[in-house]
Amino acid sequence: MTKAIKLLTALPPPQRQRLMELAREVSFPEDTRIFEAGGVADRFWVIRSGAVSLDQRLNSLQRVTVAGLGAGDLLGWSWLFPPYRWDFGAEAFSPVRAYEFDAAAVRALCEEDPALGLVLVRCVAEILAHRLEMTRGKLMEQYTMNRRGAL
């Protein structure tokens, strides 16, 4: 399994500083839906404190939690790849404080500074690979539990 990385600590200091110039501090109360799968991915966050659960809708009544995120974790990667739609939903599991970034502004910064763009894309790709492995494990776990219940 790939190792979890933290976006801001993985970026070299000059790139981190440029990115942080676009950050604004936000907070979400516990149980707040931050975004829904299929919605427009026009921003992303780096969690400063609190916990967020990523989920996938199984049907109209049921969601499965596929990952839990905490301090330092990147929340949202769909902003980087067209068609800029969320692949998962996210909910504040506890009160959350985060840095929020406007996706269009960050993409423009990456175009302006290709070195930053490359480093950022590589960091997000590593995070994405780790999350996909975690999601696959959660879905297999859910499948196994459902199969046992059906027997």
Side-chain angles (χ1 to χ4, degrees), residues 61-81:
L61 300 173
Q62 192 176 17
R63 297 177 204 261
V64 61
T65 298
V66 295
L69 305 178
D73 286 332
L74 171 69
L75 173 58
W77 51 264
S78 300
W79 61 274
L80 190 54
F81 307 103

Side-chain angles (χ1 to χ4, degrees), residues 133-147:
E133 287 180 20
M134 288 182 358
T135 300
R136 181 180 59 201
K138 287 281 188 183
L139 292 174
M140 292 301 292
E141 185 179 296
Q142 185 71 30
Y143 173 78
T144 302
M145 288 175 28
N146 288 344
R147 293 279 300 167

Side-chain angles (χ1 to χ4, degrees), residues 29-49:
E30 183 175 355
D31 297 329
T32 299
R33 287 298 292 174
I34 300 169
F35 56 83
E36 292 288 350
V40 176
D42 59 355
R43 66 198 71 231
F44 67 96
W45 302 265
V46 173
I47 300 169
R48 296 178 60 213
S49 65

